[in-house]
Amino acid sequence: MSDNVIALPRHRPSAKSTRRDALVVRVHGWKHVAAALTSAREASRAVTLLAPPGSTYTGGVGFWAAIERRRQELFADVDAELIVDCDGAPGHVMAALRVGLKHLIFDGNDAARTRLTDIVAKHGASLRQRPAAALDLIHEKDPLRACRQRMAAQA
Protein backbone atom coordinates (compact mmCIF):
# COMPACT_ATOMS: atom_id res chain seq x y z
CA MET A 1 0.00 0.00 0.00
CA SER A 2 1.34 3.45 -0.88
CA ASP A 3 1.99 5.97 1.92
CA ASN A 4 -0.37 8.36 0.13
CA VAL A 5 -3.34 6.03 0.44
CA ILE A 6 -5.44 6.50 3.53
CA ALA A 7 -6.81 3.25 4.95
CA LEU A 8 -10.29 2.84 6.28
CA PRO A 9 -10.63 3.45 10.05
CA ARG A 10 -10.19 0.41 12.25
CA HIS A 11 -9.81 -0.35 15.92
CA ARG A 12 -6.27 0.29 17.17
CA PRO A 13 -5.77 -1.15 20.66
CA SER A 14 -2.43 0.62 21.08
CA ALA A 15 -4.05 4.05 21.19
CA LYS A 16 -5.04 5.51 24.52
CA SER A 17 -8.69 5.36 25.51
CA THR A 18 -10.81 7.84 27.40
CA ARG A 19 -11.20 7.54 31.16
CA ARG A 20 -13.77 4.95 32.13
CA ASP A 21 -15.57 7.16 34.64
CA ALA A 22 -15.94 10.14 32.30
CA LEU A 23 -19.14 10.85 30.44
CA VAL A 24 -18.32 11.15 26.73
CA VAL A 25 -20.22 13.98 25.08
CA ARG A 26 -19.98 14.81 21.39
CA VAL A 27 -19.81 18.58 21.11
CA HIS A 28 -20.23 20.74 18.03
CA GLY A 29 -19.41 24.19 19.36
CA TRP A 30 -18.98 26.32 22.45
CA LYS A 31 -22.65 26.09 23.53
CA HIS A 32 -22.34 22.30 23.75
CA VAL A 33 -18.96 22.49 25.49
CA ALA A 34 -20.30 24.92 28.09
CA ALA A 35 -23.36 22.73 28.72
CA ALA A 36 -21.28 19.59 29.21
CA LEU A 37 -18.80 21.34 31.48
CA THR A 38 -21.50 23.05 33.54
CA SER A 39 -23.30 19.76 34.15
CA ALA A 40 -19.99 18.02 34.96
CA ARG A 41 -19.16 20.75 37.48
CA GLU A 42 -22.59 20.45 39.10
CA ALA A 43 -22.31 16.65 39.33
CA SER A 44 -18.61 16.65 40.31
CA ARG A 45 -17.97 14.25 37.42
CA ALA A 46 -15.33 13.94 34.75
CA VAL A 47 -16.31 14.61 31.16
CA THR A 48 -14.69 13.89 27.82
CA LEU A 49 -15.58 16.39 25.14
CA LEU A 50 -15.47 14.68 21.77
CA ALA A 51 -15.32 16.71 18.57
CA PRO A 52 -17.23 15.20 15.63
CA PRO A 53 -15.44 12.88 13.19
CA GLY A 54 -13.35 14.91 10.78
CA SER A 55 -14.00 18.09 12.75
CA THR A 56 -10.67 19.55 11.68
CA TYR A 57 -12.04 19.72 8.12
CA THR A 58 -15.10 21.72 9.07
CA GLY A 59 -14.12 23.84 12.07
CA GLY A 60 -10.39 23.76 11.65
CA VAL A 61 -7.80 23.32 14.37
CA GLY A 62 -7.93 27.02 15.25
CA PHE A 63 -11.60 26.75 16.15
CA TRP A 64 -10.96 23.79 18.48
CA ALA A 65 -7.86 25.43 19.96
CA ALA A 66 -9.95 28.50 20.83
CA ILE A 67 -12.56 26.28 22.48
CA GLU A 68 -9.83 24.50 24.45
CA ARG A 69 -8.35 27.82 25.68
CA ARG A 70 -11.78 29.08 26.71
CA ARG A 71 -12.51 25.77 28.46
CA GLN A 72 -9.30 26.07 30.46
CA GLU A 73 -10.05 29.69 31.38
CA LEU A 74 -13.69 29.28 32.43
CA PHE A 75 -13.81 25.67 33.63
CA ALA A 76 -10.33 25.02 35.03
CA ASP A 77 -11.90 23.29 38.05
CA VAL A 78 -13.69 20.66 35.93
CA ASP A 79 -12.01 17.32 35.22
CA ALA A 80 -12.34 17.40 31.44
CA GLU A 81 -10.47 16.79 28.24
CA LEU A 82 -11.19 17.72 24.65
CA ILE A 83 -10.48 15.14 21.96
CA VAL A 84 -10.24 16.55 18.45
CA ASP A 85 -10.84 14.24 15.49
CA CYS A 86 -8.35 14.68 12.64
CA ASP A 87 -9.86 11.79 10.64
CA GLY A 88 -7.15 10.43 8.31
CA ALA A 89 -5.30 13.70 7.70
CA PRO A 90 -1.73 13.68 9.05
CA GLY A 91 -1.40 17.37 8.17
CA HIS A 92 -4.33 18.12 10.45
CA VAL A 93 -2.60 16.28 13.29
CA MET A 94 0.52 18.41 12.74
CA ALA A 95 -1.55 21.60 12.61
CA ALA A 96 -3.39 20.58 15.80
CA LEU A 97 -0.07 20.10 17.59
CA ARG A 98 1.12 23.53 16.43
CA VAL A 99 -1.89 25.21 18.04
CA GLY A 100 -1.49 23.26 21.28
CA LEU A 101 -4.17 20.58 21.07
CA LYS A 102 -3.15 17.51 23.05
CA HIS A 103 -5.72 14.73 22.53
CA LEU A 104 -6.18 13.74 18.91
CA ILE A 105 -7.80 11.03 16.85
CA PHE A 106 -6.06 9.87 13.68
CA ASP A 107 -7.55 7.13 11.50
CA GLY A 108 -5.07 7.23 8.66
CA ASN A 109 -2.81 4.52 7.35
CA ASP A 110 -0.33 2.68 9.54
CA ALA A 111 2.75 4.23 7.91
CA ALA A 112 1.52 7.74 8.67
CA ARG A 113 0.48 6.68 12.19
CA THR A 114 3.97 5.33 12.86
CA ARG A 115 5.57 8.61 11.78
CA LEU A 116 3.08 10.67 13.79
CA THR A 117 3.37 8.68 17.01
CA ASP A 118 6.87 9.99 17.85
CA ILE A 119 6.02 13.54 16.83
CA VAL A 120 2.85 13.55 18.92
CA ALA A 121 4.73 12.18 21.95
CA LYS A 122 7.39 14.92 21.65
CA HIS A 123 4.58 17.47 21.94
CA GLY A 124 3.25 15.84 25.12
CA ALA A 125 0.13 14.86 23.20
CA SER A 126 -1.59 11.57 22.47
CA LEU A 127 -3.34 9.77 19.66
CA ARG A 128 -6.62 8.29 20.83
CA GLN A 129 -9.18 5.78 19.70
CA ARG A 130 -12.50 7.22 18.64
CA PRO A 131 -14.74 6.51 21.64
CA ALA A 132 -18.46 6.02 21.29
CA ALA A 133 -20.23 9.14 22.43
CA ALA A 134 -22.63 8.54 25.28
CA LEU A 135 -24.46 11.70 24.31
CA ASP A 136 -24.39 13.59 21.01
CA LEU A 137 -25.70 17.13 21.44
CA ILE A 138 -26.25 17.89 17.75
CA HIS A 139 -30.06 17.62 17.87
CA GLU A 140 -30.63 18.67 21.49
CA LYS A 141 -32.73 21.82 21.84
CA ASP A 142 -31.54 22.22 25.43
CA PRO A 143 -27.98 20.83 25.65
CA LEU A 144 -27.60 21.70 29.34
CA ARG A 145 -30.75 19.80 30.30
CA ALA A 146 -29.67 16.81 28.19
CA CYS A 147 -26.25 16.77 29.89
CA ARG A 148 -27.76 17.08 33.35
CA GLN A 149 -30.11 14.18 32.66
CA ARG A 150 -27.32 11.96 31.37
CA MET A 151 -25.06 12.84 34.31
CA ALA A 152 -27.88 11.99 36.74
CA ALA A 153 -28.64 8.72 34.93
CA GLN A 154 -25.02 7.62 35.14
CA ALA A 155 -24.42 8.71 38.72
Side-chain angles (χ1 to χ4, degrees), residues 3-133:
D3 285 352
N4 294 332
V5 177
I6 296 178
L8 293 174
R10 62 180 172 254
H11 179 71
R12 289 183 167 68
S14 61
K16 291 184 179 179
S17 299
T18 57
R19 294 163 295 168
R20 292 181 193 264
D21 62 328
L23 176 65
V24 180
V25 180
R26 185 171 316 277
V27 295
H28 300 267
W30 177 250
K31 182 178 179 180
H32 294 165
V33 170
L37 293 169
T38 298
S39 64
R41 178 186 281 157
E42 292 169 353
S44 298
R45 293 269 316 272
V47 66
T48 297
L49 307 168
L50 180 62
S55 56
T56 55
Y57 288 104
T58 54
V61 296
F63 173 79
W64 294 104
I67 284 182
E68 178 63 7
R69 284 190 301 273
R70 192 167 186 196
R71 177 194 74 79
Q72 291 174 356
E73 291 171 11
L74 300 178
F75 293 91
D77 59 316
V78 178
D79 183 4
E81 64 183 9
L82 172 66
I83 301 176
V84 177
D85 195 316
C86 298
D87 196 36
H92 290 203
V93 172
M94 298 299 293
L97 294 172
R98 283 193 294 275
V99 298
L101 294 169
K102 298 293 183 188
H103 308 293
L104 308 169
I105 294 171
F106 175 73
D107 278 337
N109 64 56
D110 290 335
R113 174 175 282 284
T114 300
R115 288 192 301 268
L116 286 172
T117 299
D118 290 335
I119 297 167
V120 167
K122 288 177 184 173
H123 281 84
S126 62
L127 292 178
R128 303 289 183 96
Q129 295 175 16
R130 184 178 287 129

